[in-house]
Amino acid sequence: MTQAEIKLCSLLLQEHFGEIVEKIGTYLVRTGAQPLRIIAGETGLLLDQVKKALCVLIQHNLVTYQLQKRGFVEYEAWCQRVLRILRYPRYIYTAKTLYGDTGELVVEELLLNGKLTMSAVVRKVADRLTETMEDGKTMDYADVSGTFVRLADTHFVQRCPLVPEAPLSPEAPPPPAPTLVSNEKEMFVVPRLNLVGRGKRRRSCDEEEDGEHKAKKQKQEGESSEPPPDDGIYWQVNIDRFHQHFRDQGIVSAVANRMDQTSSEIVRTMLRMSEVTTSSGAPYTQPLSSNEIFRSLPAGYNIAKQVLDQYLTLLADDPLEFVGKSGDSGGGMYTVSILCGETTRPGVFRRVKQFLRAEFGSRCARIFRLLLRKKHLEQKQVEDFAMIPAKEAKDMLYRMLSENFVSLQEIPKTPDHAPSRTFYLYTVNVPSSARMLLHRCYKSVANLIERRQYETKENKRLLEKSQRVEAILASMQATGAEVAQLQEIEEMITAPERQQLETLKRNVNKIDASENQVDETIFVLESFIESTVKKP
C-alpha cells in the first residue's frame, strides 16, 4: 500500500461520506484489521460515531469484518474497493449505454445506497423517471422491473450474501457477528414480485397542509406495516462484471488495430456469447464451435461460413494469441484469451511513451521505443540507433533508470565483475514501468480532486448565491410569476459573477473529464499487471 493510494482513498472517502467516515476508513487503510475499541481509542471519536461510520462503510462494501477465535470482531478496510469509487461514473455511463436511462438510474441507486432490495430500487427509479416526464405521464413499475431483470440476467447486479437461517435455541447466545453466506446458484436469480404501480411526483405545496399530510402518512404506515415480498433479499452492483465488459471492449479494440474490423466483430461475438458463462478471473472463455459463432453473428453482417473459418484460423495463428484453438469438433472449437498480457500491452506501451514524451521530452520516448524493439542495447548502441549525442543519451538513460522506466543488466565476461570486462545492457522491464506509471496516476487523481475542492471552496459564496437564486426562480415559475419578475430575480447575479460561474463550471468539467481519462489509464495498467502476475 503506497502513500499515494492511501491519500487517494482518504480524499475519496471524505468527498463521498464526510469527515468522520473518512477518518475511520483512512485509519483502517493505514493499520489493517482492528477491533472496535482500538479504532475508537486511536481515532479519538465517540464509540457511537465509530459504530455508525463502520455501518456506512460495511453498507457500501468498503469494510469487511471477521470474528476472531478469541471472540472479538476485527474490521478491515478494502483499499481496492475504495479506489473503485473513482470508477462509479463509468459504471453508470456503461449501464446507460447498454440499458438506457432506466438501467442508468438502477445502477446509480445501487451505488449511492450500497445495498437495496429490488422493490426499493424499482420504486425509487420509477419516481425519479416520473419527475423528468411531461405532466400526466408516469413510469410503470413493470418497465423498471424488466430492466432490473435484464441487468441481473447479464450479471451486472447480484444478490448480497445473506445470514443463513438457523433455529435459535433460547440457551445459546447469539454470535458477536453474523456469518454471511452467498448461494452461487441464486446469485443472479430475481425473486418473482408482482410490483404494481407507477412513479409518483413530489408535491410542491406540502407546507400548506402539513398536519393533514402527516396524519395520512401515519395512517398509511400503520396499514402497510407488513414487510415487502422481497424483504431480506438485497442487491448490489457486480463491479467485476463491469470490469469484464471494459476488458472485452479493450480486446475488441486491440484486435481491430491489429487486424481489421471483421476480425474484431468476430471476437466481439465470441465474447458476447460467453460473457455470462465465463467467470471474471478465468484466463480463457468457454470453448465455442465455429458453427455456433456463425449462427450468432449480428444480423445483416454478411459473411460466409468459409470466410469465417479463414478469419478464425488467422486469429488462432496470430503471435499475439487473441484467439486459441482447443479442438476440431463442430468445425473447430475456439476460445478468446482474456488474461493474456498481449491484449493490454499495446495500450501500456502507448501510455508510457506519452508520459515519457510529456515528462522528459520526445527523445526519451524515442529511446524507450527503441529499447522495446531491440530488447537489449548498450549505451553506445542506443546513441547510434537513436541518433542522439552521447551526452544527451547518457543523461536521458540515467533519468529513466532513476524513475524505473528502464533497467540495467550486467553481463560479466569474467567472474570478478570488473567494469572493463562487463557488458552493461539497457532494457525495458514492462511490468515495472506499468507499476511506476500506475503510482503516478494515483498521485495525479489525488491532485485533481484537491484542485476541484480548492476551486469549489474559493467560490463557495458565489455558488450558494447561485443556488438561492435558482431556488427562488423555480418556486416563482411554479406559482406562475410574470416574465418581468423572473428577469428581476435573474439580475440578482451580476454579469461578472455570471462569467465567474461559467469559468468555474468549465474548470470543474475539465477536472472531471481528466479524472475519467486517468481512470481509464489506471484500468489498463491494473489489467496488464494482473495478467502478468497470473500468467503461469
Side-chain angles (χ1 to χ4, degrees):
M1 182 62 59
T2 62
Q3 289 298 319
E5 289 175 290
I6 294 173
K7 182 180 179 182
L8 181 55
C9 286
S10 174
L11 288 169
L12 289 170
L13 289 172
Q14 183 181 16
E15 192 172 37
H16 288 81
F17 301 106
E19 293 183 2
I20 295 177
V21 174
E22 179 268 328
K23 195 170 186 179
I24 300 294
T26 306
Y27 173 74
L28 289 175
V29 168
R30 289 183 183 276
T31 60
Q34 297 289 347
L36 179 63
R37 295 288 177 180
I38 292 181
I39 297 172
E42 292 293 328
T43 56
L45 297 171
L46 298 175
L47 194 61
D48 187 52
Q49 290 178 319
V50 175
K51 288 180 179 178
K52 290 179 179 178
L54 286 173
C55 284
V56 171
L57 291 168
I58 292 171
Q59 171 76 9
H60 288 268
N61 302 311
L62 306 178
V63 164
T64 58
Y65 59 87
Q66 188 172 7
L67 180 61
Q68 300 298 318
K69 293 180 180 179
R70 297 175 64 181
F72 59 88
V73 180
E74 282 189 341
Y75 300 89
E76 185 175 7
W78 193 359
C79 177
Q80 289 302 316
R81 186 61 180 75
V82 176
L83 294 174
R84 294 297 164 264
I85 295 174
L86 186 65
R87 209 163 288 161
Y88 280 7
R90 198 174 174 192
Y91 301 149
I92 295 169
Y93 179 73
T94 301
K96 180 182 178 67
T97 305
L98 296 175
Y99 300 101
D101 293 339
T102 308
E104 173 194 10
L105 292 182
V106 167
V107 172
E108 184 179 337
E109 285 293 337
L110 287 173
L111 290 173
L112 284 173
N113 294 278
K115 303 180 180 72
L116 278 177
T117 60
M118 178 182 171
S119 55
V121 172
V122 170
R123 188 168 58 253
K124 286 174 177 284
V125 171
D127 291 347
R128 288 182 61 181
L129 287 171
T130 301
E131 288 284 341
T132 61
M133 290 180 172
E134 299 175 1
D135 291 340
K137 293 184 178 180
T138 55
M139 189 69 186
D140 196 340
Y141 284 176
D143 295 336
V144 182
S145 299
T147 303
F148 192 98
V149 171
R150 289 166 60 202
L151 282 164
D153 289 342
T154 49
H155 296 187
F156 283 105
V157 297
Q158 64 182 12
R159 287 194 186 192
C160 300
L162 300 174
V163 179
E165 295 182 1
L168 294 176
S169 60
E171 300 174 358
T179 303
L180 301 179
V181 178
S182 59
N183 189 344
E184 296 292 337
K185 294 181 180 179
E186 297 183 354
M187 186 74 76
F188 306 101
V189 177
V190 179
R192 292 184 179 180
L193 301 177
N194 187 19
L195 296 175
V196 180
R198 291 182 172 275
K200 300 178 179 60
R201 298 180 187 273
R202 294 178 185 174
R203 294 180 179 272
S204 57
C205 305
D206 284 346
E207 293 82 9
E208 296 178 1
E209 300 174 292
D210 190 46
E212 183 181 351
H213 281 306
K214 281 186 177 179
K216 287 183 178 179
K217 188 176 180 181
Q218 289 175 358
K219 184 179 179 182
Q220 288 174 356
E221 287 177 353
E223 292 174 354
S224 61
S225 58
E226 61 182 34
D230 61 340
D231 186 38
I233 303 176
Y234 288 88
W235 293 82
Q236 61 187 357
V237 173
N238 185 5
I239 286 179
D240 290 337
R241 177 65 183 89
F242 277 97
H243 290 175
Q244 182 184 344
H245 178 75
F246 301 152
R247 186 185 59 214
D248 291 351
Q249 287 181 319
I251 293 172
V252 171
S253 176
V255 173
N257 293 333
R258 174 75 175 176
M259 303 186 77
D260 62 0
Q261 196 64 35
T262 305
S263 301
S264 68
E265 194 61 44
I266 292 170
V267 173
R268 188 197 306 274
T269 302
M270 296 173 67
L271 290 169
R272 188 171 59 246
M273 291 169 66
S274 57
E275 62 184 0
V276 176
T277 58
T278 304
S279 62
S280 58
Y284 302 98
T285 60
Q286 295 293 327
L288 299 168
S289 70
S290 173
N291 296 329
E292 291 176 324
I293 298 170
F294 180 71
R295 288 194 297 269
S296 300
L297 284 171
Y301 203 81
N302 297 322
I303 179 172
K305 177 66 167 60
Q306 185 180 0
V307 177
L308 172 64
D309 291 337
Q310 291 174 352
Y311 268 106
L312 288 172
T313 303
L314 283 172
L315 287 165
D317 293 341
D318 189 87
L320 294 185
E321 301 176 350
F322 291 117
V323 173
K325 190 171 183 179
S326 60
D328 296 319
S329 60
M333 302 295 290
Y334 295 92
T335 61
V336 179
S337 178
I338 296 175
L339 290 181
C340 177
E342 302 300 332
T343 58
T344 52
R345 190 179 290 265
V348 173
F349 289 164
R350 185 173 67 253
R351 284 164 172 83
V352 173
K353 285 184 284 190
Q354 288 173 349
F355 172 79
L356 290 174
R357 187 180 293 110
E359 190 76 7
F360 303 121
S362 60
R363 292 191 172 185
C364 270
R366 188 195 307 173
I367 292 173
F368 185 83
R369 191 163 56 245
L370 179 66
L371 289 173
L372 283 176
R373 186 178 295 118
K374 299 292 186 180
K375 305 299 182 186
H376 295 84
L377 288 176
E378 292 185 274
Q379 182 178 318
K380 183 69 171 64
Q381 292 175 310
V382 171
E383 299 165 9
D384 295 339
F385 284 125
M387 294 183 291
I388 296 174
K391 186 178 179 182
E392 284 188 41
K394 182 179 179 181
D395 179 56
M396 291 173 184
L397 284 168
Y398 284 180
R399 286 172 70 187
M400 287 194 289
L401 184 65
S402 64
E403 296 287 345
N404 289 333
F405 286 105
V406 300
S407 58
L408 190 62
Q409 185 175 353
E410 298 181 6
I411 302 179
K413 296 180 184 177
T414 56
D416 59 354
H417 286 260
S420 60
R421 293 185 294 277
T422 302
F423 293 109
Y424 294 94
L425 301 179
Y426 287 94
T427 185
V428 174
N429 185 346
V430 181
S432 175
S433 301
R435 289 188 182 91
M436 179 56 62
L437 188 57
L438 181 62
H439 177 72
R440 292 293 189 99
C441 287
Y442 288 140
K443 291 176 69 175
S444 299
V445 175
N447 291 340
L448 287 168
I449 293 174
E450 287 183 328
R451 182 66 193 182
R452 183 174 62 240
Q453 291 177 347
Y454 171 79
E455 291 280 350
T456 307
K457 185 178 179 182
E458 286 293 304
N459 297 275
K460 184 179 179 181
R461 183 196 63 79
L462 187 59
L463 287 170
E464 289 176 350
K465 181 179 179 182
S466 173
Q467 289 172 355
R468 286 197 301 270
V469 170
E470 288 177 359
I472 294 170
L473 283 172
S475 62
M476 292 183 69
Q477 286 174 349
T479 55
E482 297 179 358
V483 178
Q485 292 176 316
L486 296 175
Q487 190 173 359
E488 185 180 348
I489 297 298
E490 287 178 355
E491 290 174 355
M492 290 173 63
I493 298 180
T494 62
E497 287 178 333
R498 202 173 296 280
Q499 186 177 0
Q500 191 176 349
L501 280 171
E502 287 295 324
T503 304
L504 173 63
K505 184 179 179 180
R506 188 166 57 250
N507 291 341
V508 170
N509 287 339
K510 283 182 180 178
I511 291 172
D512 291 341
S514 300
E515 278 186 35
N516 292 330
Q517 289 174 351
V518 176
D519 180 64
E520 288 181 16
T521 300
I522 289 174
F523 178 76
V524 171
L525 295 172
E526 287 178 340
S527 300
F528 174 76
I529 293 169
E530 182 185 2
S531 67
T532 54
V533 169
K534 289 190 175 184
K535 191 173 182 179

